[in-house]
Amino acid sequence: MHNNPAELALREYVVKRKISNGTRTKGGTKAWDVFLSLLDTCQKNDVNFYAYLRDRISNSYEMPSLASIILERSQADPL
């Protein structure tokens, strides 16, 4: 067993934080965390991040929610 996916996800966050010199407020940190979490979840579930954001911001809801995608995958691939 290894935790390479977790380390890789964290590494991406650390590199982005290093390049941008971090955030200035607690709200900025929370927004940063939310968007990076969405990005990572989209990548892991083969969902286009920008298309997903556009779908949610426009309130068109043509794409399924990430929660429903994760639930569907968990039921399709039992351990």
Side-chain angles (χ1 to χ4, degrees), residues 13 16-17 19-33:
Y13 174 80
K16 288 180 189 290
R17 183 183 67 204
I19 291 170
S20 70
N21 204 23
T23 60
R24 297 181 185 187
T25 65
K26 288 184 181 182
T29 301
K30 185 174 181 177
W32 184 270
D33 291 343

Side-chain angles (χ1 to χ4, degrees), residues 6-69:
E7 287 180 10
L8 290 174
L10 183 60
R11 186 178 195 300
E12 183 176 348
Y13 174 80
V14 170
V15 168
K16 288 180 189 290
R17 183 183 67 204
K18 196 174 186 180
I19 291 170
S20 70
N21 204 23
T23 60
R24 297 181 185 187
T25 65
K26 288 184 181 182
T29 301
K30 185 174 181 177
W32 184 270
D33 291 343
V34 168
F35 275 91
L36 286 177
S37 176
L38 280 172
L39 175 64
D40 191 44
T41 303
C42 284
Q43 287 175 344
K44 288 179 180 176
N45 289 285
D46 300 321
V47 174
N48 183 304
F49 174 68
Y50 296 107
Y52 186 78
L53 282 183
R54 192 176 326 113
D55 182 69
R56 294 302 180 221
I57 291 170
S58 69
N59 292 324
S60 63
Y61 301 107
E62 294 173 5
M63 297 177 74
S65 70
L66 289 176
S68 65
I69 292 170

